């Protein structure tokens, strides 16, 4: 199958080419650096499928263009599919597939990394020591042991994250409409979100972005949290109302903020913009806080996860081509 692979970086080319080689050079992969947008749709001409990542545009006008170009399959290199207009895809007869279960450890461990770095101020210590400043003032942290961690969403990633935090000796409380048996056996206590928020010293978001979870963390949610709470988001940017969180940081209501995702990340993340000025004032404001640590959507970025993503993507392409039933198809009625 001829596949236009959008938003490719060198590591995508490497991992997808290797996976295709393992599958016996099953597909003709056309690697494109460009992000998929209405303007770049013509690059998919002559392709049966497009392979897209989290910041590619898969709204109705783009899907219309892809359909007109003869594309029948959108193979996502991600677990999340909130950026796809599933209704339009279904109407046009375009199948959407995704990578549901790649290494959940990658994101869960990254969330734990943000917590450790923010708590012990490792990012600040790193720059201090390089300037021969060995003073400890301002670097005081707290023991994670004995603290309460609130996990919002205990699916694949949240459940691994909960286990990691139990390993640190934390009390873990969680909220999820479908509690996880394994977590419950480890002693995770399930609560409603409203009851979890006032109990947690650290809150980590691991639920998908849906109409119900859009701005889940808004002014009202922030008002229920413990003063000085640590908030971690490695899931999707729009789970958090960024303006409300900035107010919370200014008031000191939020003591620490760790982000791997950002509401308006599509224009920023995955690119080297170091010779440009940041035009996003909200993002620029976030960067001014010493207690905010932001990474550019790298939670998934481990060797193991990239290999899983590439292998599953190639398998999805082959399954679609051969009409096999192990295609990881996104149900058109899924809520995004
Ligand atoms: P999953 O589908 O296994 O788990 C999501 C869990 O959230 C489910 O148990 C679901 O019942 C629960 N949930 C749904 N609505 C909820 C709500 N309102 N409150 C609490 N829980 C709710 O998904 P997985 O694989 O664990 O991924 C979670 C999210 O992580 C993805 O949706 C994606 O947005 C994000 N992600 C981020 C990556 C990164 O690089 N930073 C990479 C991969 C995923």
């Amino acid at each position: 199958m001829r596949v236009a692979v959008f938003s490719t970086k060198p590591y995508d080319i490497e991992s997808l080419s290797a996976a295709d080689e393992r599958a016996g050079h099953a597909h003709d992969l056309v690697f494109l650096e460009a992000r998929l947008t209405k303007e770049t749709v013509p690059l998919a001409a002559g392709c049966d499928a497009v392979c897209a990542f989290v910041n590619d545009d898969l709204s109705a006008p783009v899907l219309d263009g892809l359909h007109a170009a003869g594309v029948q399959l959108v193979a996502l290199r991600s677990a999340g599919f909130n950026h796809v207009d599933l209704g339009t895809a279904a109407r046009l007869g375009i199948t959407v597939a995704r990578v549901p279960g790649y290494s959940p450890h990658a994101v869960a461990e990254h969330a734990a990394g943000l917590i450790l770095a923010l708590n012990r101020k490792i990012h600040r210590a790193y720059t201090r020591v390089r300037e021969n400043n060995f003073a400890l003032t301002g670097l005081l942290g707290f023991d994670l042991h004995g603290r309460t961690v609130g996990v919002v969403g205990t699916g694949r990633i949240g459940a691994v994250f909960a286990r990691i935090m139990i390993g640190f000796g934390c009390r873990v409380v969680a909220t999820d409409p479908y509690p996880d048996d394994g977590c419950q056996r480890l002693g995770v206590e399930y609560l409603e979100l409203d009851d979890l928020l006032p109990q947690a010293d650290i809150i980590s978001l691991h639920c998908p972005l849906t109409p119900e979870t859009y701005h889940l963390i808004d002014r009202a949610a922030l008002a229920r949290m413990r003063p000085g709470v640590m908030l971690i988001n490695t899931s999707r940017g729009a789970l958090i109302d960024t303006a409300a969180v900035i107010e919370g940081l200014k008031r000191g209501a939020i003591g620490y903020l760790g982000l791997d995702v950002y509401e308006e990340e599509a224009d920023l993340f995955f690119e080297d913009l170091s010779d440009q000025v940041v035009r996003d004032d909200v993002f620029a404001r976030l960067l001014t806080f010493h207690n905010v640590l932001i990474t550019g959507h790298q939670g998934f970025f481990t060797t193991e996860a990239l290999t899983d993503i590439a292998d599953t993507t190639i398998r999805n392409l082959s399954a679609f081509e051969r009409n096999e039933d192990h295609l990881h198809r996104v149900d058109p009625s899924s809520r995004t």
Side-chain angles (χ1 to χ4, degrees):
M1 205 155 58
R2 191 169 165 82
V3 188
V5 188
F6 282 89
S7 299
T8 50
K9 302 291 180 201
Y11 48 82
D12 295 310
I13 298 175
E14 202 176 304
S15 59
L16 285 165
S17 300
D20 190 46
E21 198 179 322
R22 284 193 286 279
H25 294 289
H27 303 288
D28 179 9
L29 303 176
V30 181
F31 292 111
L32 302 162
E33 268 184 51
R35 189 148 69 89
L36 177 58
T37 62
K38 217 172 138 194
E39 288 69 37
T40 61
V41 163
L43 296 172
C47 291
D48 315 290
V50 295
C51 181
F53 198 45
V54 289
N55 290 330
D56 284 312
D57 181 352
L58 289 153
S59 59
V62 173
L63 289 167
D64 279 332
L66 292 175
H67 179 249
V71 168
Q72 302 160 45
L73 171 70
V74 171
L76 300 173
R77 307 198 289 285
S78 59
F81 49 89
N82 53 285
H83 54 312
V84 187
D85 184 333
L86 292 177
T88 301
R91 180 174 55 75
L92 297 170
I94 296 179
T95 300
V96 181
R98 67 179 182 128
V99 180
Y102 65 87
S103 170
H105 303 279
V107 183
E109 289 171 12
H110 191 70
L114 288 173
I115 291 170
L116 290 170
L118 276 167
N119 173 22
R120 306 304 296 270
K121 295 148 181 87
I122 293 171
H123 52 307
R124 302 182 73 193
Y126 173 79
T127 47
R128 274 194 196 186
V129 168
R130 288 172 74 89
E131 292 180 358
N132 291 338
N133 176 356
F134 304 107
L136 298 184
T137 309
L139 300 183
L140 189 65
F142 58 84
D143 282 5
L144 286 174
H145 186 269
R147 296 288 175 146
T148 300
V149 177
V151 186
V152 180
T154 52
R156 280 176 287 262
I157 295 169
V160 172
F161 173 78
R163 280 205 299 276
I164 292 172
M165 298 321 290
I166 286 170
F168 275 109
C170 297
R171 169 183 173 239
V172 177
V173 293
T175 186
D176 194 309
Y178 303 99
D180 177 79
D181 288 345
C183 284
Q184 281 177 315
R185 279 197 296 276
L186 287 173
V188 174
E189 188 185 339
Y190 279 87
L191 303 168
E192 291 302 318
L193 181 65
D194 274 357
D195 299 322
L196 175 148
L197 295 176
Q199 294 199 27
D201 300 295
I202 298 169
I203 295 169
S204 193
L205 306 179
H206 299 285
C207 61
L209 177 62
T210 64
E212 288 76 30
T213 61
Y214 176 80
H215 284 187
L216 186 75
I217 304 301
D218 58 7
R219 279 183 185 80
L222 289 170
R224 296 188 67 80
M225 292 181 194
R226 284 192 173 174
V229 66
M230 182 186 292
L231 180 60
I232 304 291
N233 187 8
T234 56
S235 195
R236 284 294 179 266
L239 292 176
I240 286 183
D241 176 350
T242 314
V245 162
I246 287 175
E247 275 175 28
L249 283 161
K250 283 160 78 175
R251 283 200 318 274
I254 297 176
Y256 313 78
L257 177 68
L259 300 179
D260 188 47
V261 287
Y262 169 61
E263 270 187 280
E264 304 298 333
E265 70 177 48
D267 292 332
L268 294 169
F269 286 4
F270 306 122
E271 302 303 328
D272 179 359
L273 306 178
S274 52
D275 60 350
Q276 297 183 26
V277 292
V278 177
R279 290 199 201 90
D280 182 330
D281 290 346
V282 176
F283 189 74
R285 183 68 178 99
L286 279 176
L287 295 179
T288 65
F289 295 99
H290 68 80
N291 50 353
V292 173
L293 181 52
I294 305 178
T295 51
H297 208 137
Q298 68 176 75
F300 73 98
F301 200 50
T302 66
T303 307
E304 290 78 2
L306 278 187
T307 304
D308 282 357
I309 290 169
D311 281 335
T312 306
T313 299
I314 297 295
R315 275 201 299 275
N316 276 341
L317 296 171
S318 300
F320 178 79
E321 192 175 40
R322 298 181 202 141
N323 204 12
E324 291 168 351
D325 54 10
H326 58 264
L327 175 73
H328 295 293
R329 183 192 295 265
V330 180
D331 180 349
S333 63
S334 300
R335 301 295 308 277
T336 59

